[in-house]
Amino acid sequence: CLSLMLGFSSCEMKDELLGEKGQGTEMGTLEVDLSAVYTNGEIVVGRANNTATDNGETEGSFSEEDTNTDNYTLIITNTETQAEVKNDLVKNLKDENGKLSFQLEAGKYNVKAYNYDGADVNVSTRPYFEGTTDFTIEGGKGASVPLTCELACVEVAFHLTEDFNKAFKDDYSIMVNNGDGGNYEFTKDNINTKYYFKTPANKNSLNVSVKATSV
């Protein structure tokens, strides 16, 4: 019994000497200030001018599902070891004060947040918001990291004028291509639906081709 007690005591003393969480490494504090661009009402979706409809004055809008950052996934990765130290919904990671505050070992990290896993989705009816940034944690110090999630795709919608509807039959086909695997065909069945095209890193335009049968 005495030898067992001595064994347990030595383990406890070792833990105290090494530190409760870090096992000998220094710890720092991270606080993430997360926001989405379109939640504060100050920034709206940019649109190209279109004199045939509304001169580009109509503001874009998104559902709360995609703008409420509590529904976002937050991932913190140690960039030196590539180990994920946090990966969960924001609402599950907030502390009792509603803050994203974490104790991390000293080192280099990346924090990323998004509304859904849409980084590799070429075309979707759902907008994709993403924010990512690198930061460093120093032992015994706190770091405050602002992270803003922005729209990472292009919203595409078509509005047919009365002149078009009078001149052509309803068997039209409008094909949109982002030049990097994102292709979608608009027809009379989905012409009023907004679609979101992935923005390729090396492209700055969309290709549109229209096929229609004249009346």
Side-chain angles (χ1 to χ4, degrees):
C1 289
L2 180 60
S3 63
L4 285 173
M5 290 176 64
L6 288 172
F8 287 135
S9 297
S10 64
C11 289
E12 291 175 1
M13 292 174 63
K14 180 181 179 182
D15 289 341
E16 290 177 3
L17 290 171
L18 290 177
E20 183 180 351
K21 297 181 69 175
Q23 296 297 311
T25 61
E26 289 188 287
M27 304 295 290
T29 302
L30 166 69
E31 185 169 315
V32 181
D33 182 14
L34 177 64
S35 63
V37 164
Y38 301 103
T39 56
N40 57 15
E42 297 176 2
I43 302 177
V44 297
V45 181
R47 296 180 65 250
N49 288 340
N50 187 343
T51 56
T53 54
D54 61 0
N55 293 316
E57 295 175 356
T58 301
E59 297 178 355
S61 61
F62 300 104
S63 67
E64 184 179 1
E65 177 186 17
D66 292 313
T67 57
N68 185 351
T69 55
D70 278 351
N71 301 323
Y72 283 30
T73 297
L74 186 86
I75 301 174
I76 299 176
T77 304
N78 185 316
T79 56
E80 296 171 317
T81 64
Q82 300 305 311
E84 288 186 0
V85 295
K86 298 290 179 182
N87 186 337
D88 203 346
L89 294 179
V90 169
K91 59 186 175 184
N92 297 334
L93 293 172
K94 286 185 174 180
D95 60 20
E96 62 275 10
N97 297 316
K99 294 184 178 181
L100 290 168
S101 182
F102 312 100
Q103 289 287 318
L104 299 176
E105 295 182 0
K108 296 181 179 180
Y109 295 85
N110 172 271
V111 58
K112 179 180 180 180
Y114 51 79
N115 59 328
Y116 78 105
D117 192 9
D120 296 322
V121 178
N122 283 318
V123 186
S124 174
T125 55
R126 187 176 179 185
Y128 175 59
F129 289 87
E130 180 189 273
T132 182
T133 188
D134 295 325
F135 63 94
T136 300
I137 291 293
E138 298 181 13
K141 297 183 179 181
S144 180
V145 177
L147 181 63
T148 302
C149 294
E150 301 180 349
L151 185 65
C153 49
V154 177
E155 179 184 292
V156 176
F158 288 98
H159 304 280
L160 303 181
T161 64
E162 285 300 318
D163 289 340
F164 182 95
N165 289 326
K166 291 177 181 178
F168 298 99
K169 298 179 180 180
D170 64 359
D171 61 351
Y172 54 82
S173 169
I174 304 173
M175 183 66 71
V176 180
N177 182 287
N178 71 349
D180 192 30
N183 302 285
Y184 201 79
E185 181 183 23
F186 290 80
T187 66
K188 64 178 181 180
D189 297 323
N190 59 8
I191 193 66
N192 295 316
T193 303
K194 292 187 292 186
Y195 286 84
Y196 297 88
F197 286 73
K198 181 179 179 180
T199 307
N202 59 343
K203 303 288 182 180
N204 60 5
S205 63
L206 295 170
N207 296 317
V208 181
S209 61
V210 182
K211 292 181 180 181
T213 306
S214 62
V215 173

